[in-house]
Amino acid sequence: MRTILAAVLSVVVILGLAAPPAFAQPPAPKVTINGLVDFATAYQRNLRDNNITNTQDEGWYSRERGVFTFTGEIGKAKGVIAFEFDFTNGAGPTSSGTTANFDLDTDVPGTTEVKWLYVEAPLTGPGSLLPFLPMESQIRLGAQPATGHAYKPGILWSGDFPGVNITTTWAPNMRSTLTFAQIGEQVDSLAGGNEDIAFLASFEFDVFKGLTIKPTYTYANYDAFNTGTANLGTESPKGGFTPNVLGAHLSRHTIGADVRWRSGPFSLEPTFIYQIGTQECTILSCGHTNDVDINAWIFDVTGGFRTGPLTIEGRFAYTPGMKAEDCVQAGGFCGTGGEDIKYYQAINPGFVYQAGWAEIQASGVDYNLVHFGAGGAAGVRLGQSPSYDKYGRITLAAAVDYAVTPAFVLHLVGNAQWTAEKVDTGRPALSGAPTSSGDENYLGTEIDVGLTYRFAPNVAFDLIGGYLIAGDARGFNNLEPEDITKVAARMRVTW
């Protein structure tokens, strides 16, 4: 697959050289620095240890995050590098999402993260690599933000990735985005590694003022075990739903569409995505390999109404799941004919699915201290997976914002969840082993109350308190789940 991509790029370069551009006086280079610095602090009870049946964990912490983006521009071409720094305050263990601690001396070596490193240039149109093609397009190559393929953060394609992105304007009301993601790399057959890739193609057009449709197709191919951030959004069958199976090769096609409608104070954004493909599974006890079908989908719709200082929004999401007794390995100890994978998985949710719709379960004011679920099992955290493990998920949420002044806004959020199929609460913490039947659906209801105060230009203070009323489906080993409390504050400066 990478050979084909290299050949295509070679042809593009040759065609560009065949029509060399006429260089004018080059524009003066320009360098800009953009960034943000966060100071966040949070209190939690029954959140951090991922054992929701035990309320002994309670704590408070504070942290800093800084992202600094340097952009060098010459005409329409850019070179971009972004650095990120994440620190927990105080000597000791780092918190989730940070790389080091500030102690009394605060001189910490070797903690710089390179977030982005990419070049961007005109691909077609005047002054481009291919000036004989009239449409305007830009090509971006390198480590970059994942953009252009979904309206809802985390539902398909978010976060960051290494690869190629091409955006094209075909007409004032028609645009497209093509992306190639190099998820895993095998430099050559002797170097080891795995060749994991994804292609994404979206076409966006404005039907009329206020109505935009974006159909999207993606293809993902994994040759590796589907674990870790290298395959974020594709959970391992070993950790996800049966301990005797490892996922090796996966091939998955995803097709769907986003719709965005605005009319006066009303808004509506439905999304429907359908997945098909195959997942190879190996039964470790005998080495037998099965190819299991993927047959999954998700429907996610948000709607809103705004009048004066008041904004009211609602959200409904559904992805089906597998029953407690279902298993990809099904068909006997070394048998074949496993169950279809019925729950939806994004290529890269970037940990931001339903961000802002829950503070305890998804990214919010404090986006590091987030509940992962029973035992921290793969595919349970809402921000990482629309499905609750293999069981699917139903979400019904509402949010109300009231602007006391343009700079001072109050927030109220409610988020109730159920699994599409019943969870067996008698099992160990989501080990995933198939059982006789499930017994509970209700995951609980989260209520969040907060405020945002922009008291100076480019400076915002956020404060929020959240309480999760734990549903019985979150229990395990026949132990009752307990409620979760969180209070978080953040000061953010951007420029």
Side-chain angles (χ1 to χ4, degrees):
M1 188 66 70
R2 198 170 72 248
T3 303
I4 296 174
L5 179 66
V8 171
L9 290 176
S10 298
V11 171
V12 168
V13 172
I14 291 171
L15 290 174
L17 293 175
F23 292 103
Q25 182 67 28
K30 180 177 67 173
V31 177
T32 56
I33 304 175
N34 303 100
L36 68 84
V37 175
D38 282 347
F39 173 85
T41 183
Y43 162 83
Q44 62 82 24
R45 182 174 182 272
N46 195 28
L47 188 156
R48 185 172 171 81
D49 70 352
N50 296 319
N51 182 356
I52 198 170
T53 69
N54 180 7
T55 61
Q56 296 304 308
D57 59 304
E58 182 178 14
W60 166 86
Y61 88 122
S62 63
R63 62 172 178 81
E64 285 85 51
R65 178 179 184 235
V67 179
F68 306 93
T69 304
F70 298 79
T71 304
E73 298 180 69
I74 303 178
K76 296 181 180 180
K78 299 178 182 179
V80 178
I81 185 169
F83 300 102
E84 181 171 342
F85 303 85
D86 293 281
F87 294 94
T88 303
N89 289 317
T94 60
S95 67
S96 173
T98 63
T99 55
N101 300 77
F102 281 136
D103 57 14
L104 282 179
D105 192 38
T106 72
D107 295 327
V108 184
T111 57
T112 304
E113 303 172 30
V114 178
K115 185 174 180 64
W116 300 331
L117 181 62
Y118 65 86
V119 296
E120 182 178 318
L123 180 62
T124 62
S128 70
L129 181 65
L130 305 174
F132 51 85
L133 297 177
M135 60 283 203
E136 296 275 349
S137 66
Q138 292 284 119
I139 185 169
R140 182 184 292 171
L141 305 103
Q144 58 188 284
T147 59
H149 296 287
Y151 291 148
K152 295 182 177 71
I155 196 168
L156 176 67
W157 182 241
S158 296
D160 311 297
F161 78 102
V164 181
N165 179 270
I166 300 173
T167 58
T168 304
T169 300
W170 301 92
N173 66 329
M174 292 188 293
R175 302 161 295 277
S176 67
T177 304
L178 297 174
T179 298
F180 169 76
Q182 191 70 56
I183 299 172
E185 177 62 80
Q186 183 183 59
V187 177
D188 57 49
S189 58
L190 298 178
N194 299 282
E195 197 69 23
D196 305 327
I197 61 171
F199 287 101
L200 302 94
S202 297
F203 184 77
E204 183 180 53
F205 60 97
D206 306 321
V207 181
F208 52 79
K209 184 178 180 180
L211 179 62
T212 303
I213 299 176
K214 182 198 285 282
T216 296
Y217 166 78
T218 73
Y219 170 72
N221 186 85
Y222 300 96
D223 288 329
F225 299 127
N226 305 316
T227 57
T229 57
N231 289 48
L232 183 64
T234 302
E235 302 298 344
S236 168
K238 181 182 180 183
F241 42 78
T242 170
N244 292 323
V245 177
L246 284 176
H249 181 76
L250 180 148
S251 178
R252 186 174 64 205
H253 302 268
T254 303
I255 187 167
D258 275 312
V259 177
R260 176 177 287 172
W261 175 73
R262 301 280 189 274
S263 179
F266 298 96
S267 65
L268 187 67
E269 296 188 12
T271 302
F272 180 77
I273 303 175
Y274 185 75
Q275 291 181 330
I276 59 173
T278 58
Q279 166 74 66
E280 181 180 276
C281 298
T282 303
I283 304 172
L284 298 185
S285 56
C286 62
H288 185 84
T289 297
N290 296 334
D291 280 335
V292 181
D293 290 335
I294 300 170
N295 187 6
W297 57 273
I298 186 171
F299 176 70
D300 190 318
V301 58
T302 60
F305 173 76
R306 183 172 185 175
T307 176
L310 179 66
T311 301
I312 302 174
E313 296 177 292
R315 185 167 190 168
F316 171 78
Y318 177 85
T319 180
M322 303 170 68
K323 296 181 183 298
E325 58 267 30
D326 288 346
C327 178
V328 170
Q329 171 196 354
F333 185 71
C334 287
T336 61
E339 303 289 344
D340 288 358
I341 297 174
K342 298 176 182 178
Y343 59 89
Y344 172 82
Q345 299 178 91
I347 292 180
N348 186 2
F351 301 109
V352 295
Y353 181 64
Q354 295 209 17
W357 290 89
E359 177 67 28
I360 291 174
Q361 303 170 81
S363 295
V365 171
D366 181 82
Y367 38 82
N368 283 349
L369 194 60
V370 178
H371 179 59
F372 279 78
V380 174
R381 175 179 172 179
L382 177 63
Q384 185 176 347
S385 173
S387 177
Y388 186 80
D389 195 66
K390 71 174 183 178
Y391 297 98
R393 194 188 309 246
I394 304 168
T395 302
L396 186 62
V400 178
D401 287 356
Y402 186 82
V404 180
T405 70
F408 187 78
V409 182
L410 302 176
H411 310 290
L412 175 63
V413 177
N415 188 313
Q417 296 176 36
W418 299 260
T419 57
E421 300 291 344
K422 290 185 177 181
V423 178
D424 180 5
T425 58
R427 83 248 175 276
L430 282 184
S431 65
T435 57
S436 58
S437 64
D439 52 4
E440 297 291 346
N441 287 102
Y442 180 52
L443 290 171
T445 299
E446 180 178 338
I447 304 295
D448 304 317
V449 180
L451 61 86
T452 298
Y453 182 28
R454 297 178 178 87
F455 59 90
N458 295 57
V459 183
F461 172 74
D462 293 280
L463 175 66
I464 195 166
Y467 191 84
L468 175 64
I469 304 169
D472 288 339
R474 293 184 185 270
F476 57 89
N477 281 340
N478 294 315
L479 298 174
E480 293 291 329
E482 302 292 339
D483 297 347
I484 297 175
T485 304
K486 178 182 175 182
V487 179
R490 181 182 67 200
M491 188 81 75
R492 168 171 287 182
V493 178
T494 60
W495 66 91

